[in-house]
Each structure stands twice: as structure tokens, then as C-alpha cells.
Amino acid sequence: MGINIHWTNHAQEKMRFYHLSEQRVRRVLNSPKRIESGIAPNTVAMMQVAGSKKHPYEIWVMIQQIADKRGLKRGLTRKLIKTKIISAWKYPGMTKIGEPLPEEILREIRLASLTK
């Protein structure tokens, strides 16, 4: 039993753009400072603070969790969970709880979901 992680092409491109490693994104998933509902249906956004006091930034990861049916086919009693990493990005500065994402990031995520 475990968590199967699937990386979308969009997430991999954003990780390269923002110089985020796979391990850094996993760290946000394992111990987020804040969790909010995502802008896409059935998604969750997780955040962790990074940087310094003088130059703070936030690392955000948007995920979707799906029950993986392979576990049932193999006769397992518990379902495996598939975590799909939809996007990852750095936000300069600090956001307030519940503050909407900037329109530029929203537009990029919408475009990526339309092309898939």
C-alpha cells in the first residue's frame, strides 16, 4: 500500500521554470504549512514558506487525489491512492489565507488543463 505519484507535463515544466526539484515538491506534500482548495475542480493547493526574512517566497503545489483501481484488481483490501501533481510554482512574497491567486497563474493553469 502506498501513494503513487503522477507528474503532469505542466507540473514538470513549471518545476524546471522555477528550479524546483522533485524532492522539494514532495517535501511540500509531506509537510505543508497551509492547505486550501484548488481553483480546478477536485483539487487541493498546498503551500510551504521558503526564502529568508528579507526575501520570502512561497512554494505552491496543486494536486488531485484519485483512487487507483489497480489495488482492487490484485485482490488488495485497501485502495491505493494516486496523487496527480497538476502544477507547482513559486510565489514571491507572502499571501494571506484565502487570497486568490494572481490572474497570470490562473490563466496558465487553465490553458494547461485545456491542452490535456
Side-chain angles (χ1 to χ4, degrees):
M1 299 339 104
I3 296 177
N4 183 12
I5 294 182
H6 173 75
W7 304 85
T8 63
N9 290 336
H10 176 76
Q12 291 173 337
E13 290 169 12
K14 288 298 172 182
M15 288 166 58
R16 276 192 294 276
F17 180 79
Y18 289 110
H19 304 285
L20 296 171
S21 67
E22 181 179 319
Q23 186 58 40
R24 186 63 178 105
V25 172
R26 286 177 186 266
R27 196 163 82 186
V28 174
L29 295 177
N30 290 332
S31 56
K33 181 176 180 190
R34 196 164 83 215
I35 301 174
E36 295 189 6
S37 62
I39 58 161
N42 302 318
T43 61
V44 175
M46 299 179 169
M47 182 273 293
Q48 213 176 53
V49 178
S52 63
K53 282 187 177 184
K54 198 169 189 179
H55 301 285
Y57 62 91
E58 297 173 340
I59 299 174
W60 283 89
V61 178
M62 185 182 301
I63 66 165
Q64 185 177 42
Q65 291 192 323
I66 305 164
D68 193 348
K69 296 177 186 173
R70 291 180 301 145
L72 297 175
K73 289 180 183 175
R74 286 189 262 155
L76 300 175
T77 56
R78 291 179 19 201
K79 291 181 186 177
L80 297 173
I81 295 176
K82 180 177 174 181
T83 301
K84 184 186 287 189
I85 309 291
I86 296 172
S87 188
W89 66 93
K90 285 184 184 178
Y91 181 81
M94 306 297 286
T95 59
K96 295 183 177 125
I97 295 174
E99 182 178 300
L101 291 172
E103 187 58 39
E104 178 183 329
I105 292 174
L106 293 173
R107 187 173 37 257
E108 286 180 18
I109 293 171
R110 285 188 197 115
L111 286 173
S113 65
L114 292 175
T115 59
K116 303 284 185 252

